[in-house]
Amino acid sequence: MPWQTIPMRLTYYKPNWRLLTSSLILLMTIFTLIHVASDMMVKCPSCVSIRLFHKREVKFDFNYEKYLNMTWKSKQEVIPLLTMFTTWNPSMQKPVVYTNAVKNWHSLSRNVRTIAFTNDSEIETLAREDGWLTLPIKETACFGTPILRSMFREAMDLPTKSKLYAYVNADLVFNDGLVKTLTEITKSPYFEKGPILVVGKRIDVNISRLHEPEINSTGDVDELAKHGNISWGFAADYYITNELFPWEFVPNLVIGRPLIDNWLIWYARQIGAKVIDITGTVLAVHQLANGLKRIHFMCNKAVMWKAGLLPNTPIWKGMIECASFETKYNSKGDVIILPKLIMQHICKHDEVVFH
């Protein structure tokens, strides 16, 4: 019998809406339980009700306005351009990652001072061999993780001052665009007064696929960046400020945990600090190596909630795209700073109550 004459029966399957609804409810329940469990792990019972998209009034109980009118005096002084500091746990990455960072940072410029916060003798030895200063970690939270504010204030309190101060994750390496860009920022008339926050996107490169190359200079970073992809604007791995940034009002947020970067950008924008995105002129390569350990404790969210400083949709309000300024190269290869066109429907400020 020809196939054209074979009788065919079409079957229509009616959707089982009850089953679909039950499955959706089950998935939502599982997600909620995971979310609650993560909050309970940080021993914060009041945080169980926190959700990423919540509604709560945020209050600033401090006087930040005095910083907005202060003159950034150190930008005119003959002092080092930048103090870069970091800390790391040797068990989190392969040794080559940290060795590359230590050598790369030291090669950036004589105008850059590098500091490692550590209580580990091996890290101290590695850092000092390449001319780094080492300081002990004094304040921690979230199972012994260093507090960002504490490191900034200790670096700023050192006898030798600098124009800018930067915390950088210890797995980042930079090209020479970092020093060029920060030099232009210190010269710019945009930033004569008030606090600034400098951030930028990273380029993720799996160095294990490249046989874990050694990074000794900024030129090596230019080559390494060709093998990576730029990250989304939801995550920032370095924060650079001047001495006018009001760190004393920042809660006990720890490094390397979710929301610290988003909250910091949101906070800077709320208090009127100038936020600068330097992605356009700086290659910051994030070295990824096989065997990387990730920790996702929601410690920072718990701290924000307890302090009454957790904004609505904090990830969106604290994206790098929400910066006020950005840097680019002009046709002559010089770094220029321009006002940035932000996404108002996403970056719009919360209704914050100031006291």
Side-chain angles (χ1 to χ4, degrees):
M1 179 184 295
W3 68 268
Q4 293 92 336
T5 62
I6 297 176
M8 301 180 65
R9 183 175 63 181
L10 298 177
T11 304
Y12 173 71
Y13 291 96
K14 184 178 180 180
N16 189 333
W17 295 110
R18 181 176 295 178
L19 178 61
L20 290 174
T21 303
S22 300
S23 300
L24 182 60
I25 293 174
L26 178 61
L27 287 173
M28 292 177 65
T29 302
I30 293 173
F31 177 79
T32 301
L33 290 174
I34 293 173
H35 194 93
V36 169
S38 69
D39 286 328
M40 294 301 290
M41 288 180 71
V42 297
K43 301 178 181 179
C44 178
S46 64
C47 298
V48 174
S49 61
I50 302 175
R51 293 297 175 265
L52 188 60
F53 300 98
H54 69 285
K55 191 70 177 176
R56 189 187 190 194
E57 185 181 76
V58 178
K59 296 181 179 180
F60 283 170
D61 295 318
F62 51 82
N63 178 20
Y64 70 94
E65 293 182 351
K66 63 179 181 180
Y67 294 93
L68 300 181
N69 298 318
M70 287 184 178
T71 301
W72 181 11
K73 295 180 180 179
S74 66
K75 74 192 295 279
Q76 306 295 341
E77 298 176 6
V78 184
I79 55 177
L81 170 68
L82 176 66
T83 297
M84 291 177 70
F85 53 90
T86 190
T87 185
W88 68 88
N89 182 340
S91 67
M92 297 297 293
Q93 279 275 24
K94 290 187 175 181
V96 65
V97 170
Y98 303 121
T99 302
N100 283 345
V102 168
K103 294 183 180 298
N104 170 254
W105 294 17
H106 183 63
S107 71
L108 287 173
S109 169
R110 293 181 180 178
N111 244 347
V112 176
R113 179 177 57 176
T114 49
I115 302 173
F117 283 89
T118 182
N119 295 328
D120 186 297
S121 58
E122 291 185 6
I123 295 177
E124 190 173 333
T125 300
L126 172 64
R128 287 183 175 179
E129 285 177 353
D130 278 278
W132 285 42
L133 174 67
T134 59
L135 294 174
I137 299 172
K138 296 180 179 179
E139 287 191 78
T140 64
C142 189
F143 312 106
T145 309
I147 294 174
L148 181 64
R149 181 199 64 240
S150 175
M151 289 191 288
F152 262 99
R153 299 192 72 177
E154 284 189 54
M156 291 178 177
D157 287 342
L158 291 173
T160 304
K161 306 298 181 182
S162 64
K163 298 179 181 181
L164 293 165
Y165 297 85
Y167 168 80
V168 183
N169 282 353
D171 50 12
L172 286 191
V173 288
F174 295 90
N175 73 342
D176 60 0
L178 179 66
V179 172
K180 292 179 182 178
T181 300
L182 296 182
T183 300
E184 289 304 313
I185 288 174
T186 60
K187 294 178 180 178
S188 173
Y190 281 127
F191 313 116
E192 293 292 339
K193 291 186 176 183
I196 66 169
L197 172 66
V198 180
V199 292
K201 298 178 185 177
R202 65 177 188 249
I203 296 175
D204 296 322
V205 177
N206 190 325
I207 62 172
S208 294
R209 296 177 181 175
L210 303 174
H211 308 292
E212 300 176 358
E214 291 186 3
I215 307 298
N216 294 311
S217 67
T218 56
D220 294 336
V221 177
D222 288 314
E223 290 299 316
L224 188 63
K226 297 176 182 178
H227 300 277
N229 298 302
I230 195 164
S231 68
W232 295 93
F234 298 111
D237 283 5
Y238 58 92
Y239 324 106
I240 307 172
T241 74
N242 58 5
E243 75 270 14
L244 299 180
F245 194 85
W247 281 104
E248 61 265 43
F249 304 126
V250 174
N252 291 340
L253 305 180
V254 297
I255 61 169
R257 302 295 182 268
L259 294 183
I260 184 170
D261 39 13
N262 310 116
W263 188 90
L264 199 59
I265 294 172
W266 169 84
Y267 167 72
R269 295 177 61 239
Q270 288 288 353
I271 63 173
K274 299 178 179 71
V275 182
I276 310 163
D277 174 11
I278 61 173
T279 306
T281 54
V282 176
L283 292 180
V285 172
H286 178 213
Q287 303 172 87
L288 297 171
N290 295 338
L292 168 67
K293 296 181 181 179
R294 296 187 181 277
I295 300 177
H296 294 293
F297 292 133
M298 299 302 287
C299 310
N300 288 328
K301 186 171 71 171
V303 171
M304 296 172 199
W305 180 263
K306 187 175 181 180
L309 294 174
L310 183 65
N312 301 323
T313 60
I315 292 180
W316 293 101
K317 301 292 177 61
M319 291 195 305
I320 294 173
E321 279 80 359
C322 295
S324 311
F325 299 88
E326 63 181 338
T327 59
K328 293 183 179 296
Y329 285 112
N330 63 15
S331 58
K332 297 180 180 179
D334 299 323
V335 176
I336 57 174
I337 304 168
L338 303 169
K340 188 171 185 177
L341 182 63
I342 65 173
M343 296 176 285
Q344 291 290 350
H345 60 291
I346 293 177
C347 301
K348 185 179 178 182
H349 288 205
D350 282 325
E351 294 297 326
V352 178
V353 178
F354 295 92
H355 289 266

